[in-house]
Amino acid sequence: MRPEDIKNNGRAGEGYGADGQMRSDYSERGSLPEYNDDSNEIIIGGSDDDADYDEYSRRLERRAAKPARRPKIEYEDDGRISRRERKRAFRKAREQEAAEAAAEAAEAAAAIAEEAADSGEIIIGASEAAGEEIERAENAAEAAVSQAADRASQQMQHIETISEEAAGVVHNAASHPTIERIEDSASAAAEDVIEIIEETAEDIKDAVSDKAGTVKEKAKEIREAIADKAEAVKEKAEDIREAIADKAEAVKEKAENIADAIVDPDDDFDYTDGSDILDDIVDTDDAADAVENAGRAAESVSRAERPRRAAPAKRIPDAARRVPSADVGEEISEQVAAIKEEISGKAAQFKETISETTVHAAAAGAAAAKAAGKRPSRVERIDHERDILDELLGDDTEYYSAPPEDNIQTSDDTAAAPETAEQPAAEASAETEDVPGEGAAAASVEDGPVEEEAVEAYTDEVPAEAYNEEEDSGVYADGEEDGETFADEDEDGEEYADEDEDSEAYDGEEEDGEAYTDEDEDGEAYTDEEEPAEETEEEYYGEDEYEEAGEPEIYDGSDEDEYDGSGLPLPVVKPRNLDAVRKRREASGEKSPAKVPRHDLLVSASPHIHCGETTRVLMGDVIIALIPALIASVLWFGWRALMITGVCVVTSVITEFICRRVMKRRQTVGDLSAVVTGMLLAFCLPPEINPVFAIIGSVVAIAVVKQMFGGIGMNFANPAATARIVMMLSFPAAMTTWSRPFYYYLDAISEATPLTKLAEGGGELPTYAELLVGYHSGCIGETCAVALLLGGAYLLLRGVISWEIPISFMGTVALFSLIVGQDPVYQLLSGGVILGAVFMATDYVTSPVNSKGRLIFGFGCGLFTMLIRLYGNMPEGVSFAILLMNILTPHIDRLTLPVPFGEEREAA
Amino acid sequence: MGNQQNGELFFPNRPFQGYGGVSLPHLKGTENLPSEIIPLPERVIISMQQHVGAPCEPVVAVGDHVDIGQLVGDSKAFISAPIHASVSGTVAAIGELMLPNGQKTKTVVIDADGKQTMWKGIKPPKIKNVKELSEAVRASGLVGLGGAGFPAHVKFSIPEGKHADTLIINGAECEPFLTADYREMIEDPGHVLRSIYFIKKILDIHRVIIGIESNKPEGIRVLSEIAYNDERDPLNEVRVLPLKASYPQGAEKVLINSCTGRRVPRGKLPIDVGCIVMNIATISFISKYLATGVPLINKRVTVDGTAIVNPKNVIAPIGTPIADIIDFCGGYKTDPRKLLMGGPMMGIAMFDETTPILKQNNGIVVFAREDVAETEPTDCIRCGRCAANCPMHLQPLLIEHYVRQGDVAALERHSLMTCIECGSCAYVCPAQRKLVQYMRMGKTLLRKAGEKKK
């Protein structure tokens, strides 16, 4: 989670409803078809191997058992008999004993209700005493940290008020008949409870006083003390609640079972597991059993006490670790706030449980009283029995059942089992009494699935061995599962909330449990209970909660367990109170998000990004690459070289501009191709040429060779090379008068080029070094091989040109020279081979497109250059060779078409 | 064709060399942000055309209540995938929607009720053979989530006489900005691998190559850790192959070539060279579906671009209007100019923001006005870069020329239909020519010509 992000995006309040709804959807059955992460088998229903599948099923069961905390069903009395046997036994026993048992059970139920009431009273007394103890503890803490003490004492007051409310509720329940021995056992239980609470209070007192001492020394320890104290308070509230819940459970289950047993003695439906419940009731002497249960309830309270008391000690280090020591002060107040929240949550639970207990007791008593006379329809009963069986047998065919709300909605209004629990006690009992017998019976049946499960839960939770033998072990119910629960408790606050949920499940409220826990998250939610039942759901998505939970859920985990523990390996969009969103939007006058104002959006074909290299960038690179050669030419041939170059460039650009204007085409001066053409043309003119000739050449290059064919991209021949040929033919004398380097500051001295000397003989040939640096006569830009190669390297690195043409051009020249016995170095370094190979032959427009074609093109250029040089009547052949190959380019292109991907086609 | 087609299968140590490809800026700014789940939108607009193939027909009526995962659209055609409700609520309208590609399709508009109740009919499928796998995948509404939206079940319906020997998992995600697949492999590697082992077993495939571009070292590490676990895969038949980070590495044909050296001929499918290619999100979903039975209702999309305030990966119900998602990401920083469904290379520019998320969407990229260069193309200078960078070894410059001339025979000769419209040519074109547009025009020409012939 990143709260800062939420702040930033300004939508902190919107839409991420507190968790719970989806979870209740999925985890209700508690058995999702997960498969084991650690296994290498694929076991998504596709395994052929039955053994594997069995193993998988077992694993599934094991895993399924955990999140739902569904206890295994064990019975104290009959051990492990097969279902069929049980069923048969039940059928025999049922007919004989049902009526008798029903009567007894009704009595027992009433008694148990009374017992609950009494023990409730006692417990409330105890809780008040506890409240005092805690207040004393509060005072001690106040001495240390006044802030913390204030808040905690508020909580204590809160618990007291709850206790008072509970007393009122118990008073209602007290109107039921009584059996003395149950009273005895209940009072014994209550005594235990009192003892326990006193012990707790003692512990709290000690702990608080100890911690108050340490608080004075270090702020860190202050925080620990607060955490500890709050923990103790919370435990106490929890324990009281549990004790009452357990008692209520006992009452409820008895009454339920009796009702069920009475309801339909003639039914031949397979009760297999349901029968066990009834067996349980029938076989037991109910009154004695009730006493026992009451005793157990009390004892379970004491069992619960011990491990829980140990828990806060473990949690303190965690709390300490969470808070950096620098911010101790702030953290303390935060901690206190958190404690306050927790305690208020617990108080809400406590209150709810008390009211619920009373309701159940009353409802169960009433139902039991009525049950003997009235029966629900058989169909209804079978449906509910089936539900129970599904639950118990862990039927894995329905992983996704409707959420509990749906069940409520579809069931009869008068029944509304889970909702009854949320209504005040008096209302509930009044309702059950007012409704004619049929309705009351239906109510008891609607309760059926929940309550019967509760029986199972209870008997498993407190097996005889568990609390006889494990007095000291701190194990409170089913050893394995609860060991885990307590371990979890130590980890952090969230886990603690989970643990609450678990205890709800033990109370038999498995279906209700979800809603219950959800409400705990919002400290204020318990007030909703006073609302009519239909509104509960809406309140659940209430504005407040919605505001508080407005934190986006971050989906981050491959581990399914991280999805709220629901086992659903898909991220789900949380429920959201859309009505509130719509209202708020209407209130603020915003438009629906689906009707946002339209932006001025551009629609175009993909791709929507570009590499950024445009024609202008490429031409600019070529210009940059030509600059070393230009500098060299100025060095060797003086400013005249620069002047000629400038004349060519300017003329080219102007010509291009005028041509485009005249042709009424898009202006292309900006792409710098005319500049490149002008420079290249200048580079292959002699330095001493008349600028007028240079102007003529430039105009020819641009207007005739380039623009007359359509401008850039359309010319079939290289403008610079072609213009040079035109000039050579037009002004042969001027084009073949070369000056010696470095003599420009005297009178220019003409000298034959090395090629001319080679071709015609005579004269002193320059050395290799002189050839490399360009210290020999020749055209403006072609003499300095080093500068040209430098420029070529730049172009290659920038990816402007590819290697094929220069390499094959120069390679062919060198190879041909070797073959015919010429000096390849001379052939390469003198004349225009390098300029032509690097800059002119690589002109995109007039050279082949593909790699293979470019190799052929370079080879042709080299070949024709050498043929002209050696066997033609001109000393230099580069421009002719390039022009010739330009003409051949379309044919080369066609012959070298690459084979498209996935095809084995001969180029044609 | 592949050099080991008739020989024994082997796992390449390095990817096979292909043609062309461009190196793009990655711009994957959201790769380290965990996916966030969007708050429930008020209304979803579920298009009946969320896949390649026949559009679905709505199976619900206005006023019906639908739960999450309930079927709202289906088709009897083979190449099609059913469509499910992504939220619970009431069908508000059955209307018509213009998809970004200009195609009009029916839509089912659902007003969410906020309760997010699951449909009762959802249950995990039981799969024992290929046929059941194919049926289950069809029922899940799964399409290729990488972007093409090809119905996934078709890939499992291997025609008679053909055999798949290689399963390739596409984790390349070569588009800039997009990190949805990357987040999938980081967040759900377990599902990816479980699906792989399952499908491998069902289809009897003994070579699974997970291709991931080398610019995702964390993804490679996470998946390798699981893939090289000897307990799960004793014969080591599932391997991760780091690919060159080159666009379009994730294109199906390119990926098959990189992983196996086989080249899918023009007009053929991967199965014709014995390969099945699945996107990483697609394969991951299969595992989730097999576990829960919840059909394809949510999609992870990367929301990024220069105009977005808080770029992030968002998990949203299918049909969520893009406006809602952008709102969730903090809205616009500045005036948006281009709204793309998908990445910047192959994404479709959209004309408004009410368009809903489709199944195959994996990204929303919004560019600010100042980042959208609206340049006119200049003349082709025959530099050949388009051809050099074409992963399909085509000649875009020539094809453009022939498209302008309407020369169908020449287009046929230059294998225009092989073009995957990856956009590499236009990306590198210094003249900024709209080459992909011409490719599409040319394909239309060819199709029309083909229809005439018939």
Side-chain angles (χ1 to χ4, degrees), chain A residues 258-274:
Chain A
I258 291 157
D260 278 0
I262 295 162
V263 162
D264 197 358
D266 300 330
D267 192 352
D268 59 353
F269 181 76
D270 183 1
Y271 284 97
T272 320
D273 280 79

Side-chain angles (χ1 to χ4, degrees), chain A residues 23 27 30 63-71 238 241-242 245-246 249 308 346 349 453-454 457-458 460-461 476-490 492-518 520 564-566:
Chain A
R23 172 172 51 188
S27 65
R63 284 190 67 167
K66 283 182 191 171
R69 296 287 191 263
R70 179 184 292 141
E238 180 71 11
R241 190 183 60 72
E242 274 185 15
D246 283 348
E249 245 352 277
R308 273 152 200 269
K346 291 299 150 201
Q349 276 189 6
E453 173 122 334
Y458 186 77
D460 184 58
E461 184 189 353
Y476 134 73
D478 182 349
E480 201 184 340
E481 289 193 358
D482 277 70
E484 234 178 79
T485 303
F486 289 118
D488 287 347
E489 194 179 73
D490 294 338
D492 59 28
E494 239 177 72
E495 289 294 337
Y496 190 78
D498 281 348
E499 188 262 331
D500 284 347
E501 192 179 318
D502 293 345
S503 46
E504 293 300 332
Y506 286 125
D507 289 342
E509 300 292 337
E510 198 172 334
E511 303 224 331
D512 288 3
E514 297 295 334
Y516 207 165
T517 331
D518 291 338
D520 288 347
D564 300 334
S566 66

Side-chain angles (χ1 to χ4, degrees), chain A residues 26 37 40 576 585 905, chain B residues 40 42 118 194 231 413:
Chain A
Y26 296 117
D37 253 333
N40 73 7
R576 181 183 183 192
R585 204 188 50 235
R905 193 181 60 178
Chain B
L40 182 63
E42 289 173 46
M118 274 286 170
R194 266 200 293 266
E231 279 178 28
R413 204 168 62 236

Side-chain angles (χ1 to χ4, degrees), chain A residues 274-294:
Chain A
S275 72
D276 292 335
I277 300 158
L278 289 165
D279 279 348
D280 198 3
I281 296 162
V282 169
D283 291 345
T284 317
D285 184 17
D286 293 284
D289 218 19
V291 174
E292 258 182 50
N293 282 341

Side-chain angles (χ1 to χ4, degrees), chain A residues 872-888:
Chain A
N873 60 355
M874 289 203 187
E876 173 60 303
V878 172
S879 24
F880 289 102
I882 291 174
L883 181 61
L884 191 59
M885 291 312 291
N886 285 164
I887 293 164
L888 290 176

Side-chain angles (χ1 to χ4, degrees), chain A residues 692-749:
Chain A
V692 177
F693 296 162
I695 289 172
I696 293 169
S698 299
V699 171
V700 168
I702 296 294
V704 179
V705 185
K706 190 175 169 190
Q707 294 299 340
M708 283 181 116
F709 292 90
I712 186 168
M714 304 297 170
N715 50 307
F716 70 94
N718 187 319
T722 314
R724 182 173 187 265
I725 290 167
V726 169
M727 287 173 78
M728 277 189 77
L729 299 175
S730 311
F731 321 109
M735 288 294 285
T736 49
T737 306
W738 317 94
S739 59
R740 267 182 91 174
F742 271 139
Y743 284 81
Y744 50 85
Y745 49 87
L746 303 172
D747 278 332
I749 293 175

Side-chain angles (χ1 to χ4, degrees), chain B residues 185-197:
Chain B
M185 65 181 94
I186 294 289
E187 290 171 15
D188 278 346
H191 282 302
V192 173
L193 269 298
R194 266 200 293 266
S195 271
I196 289 173
Y197 293 128

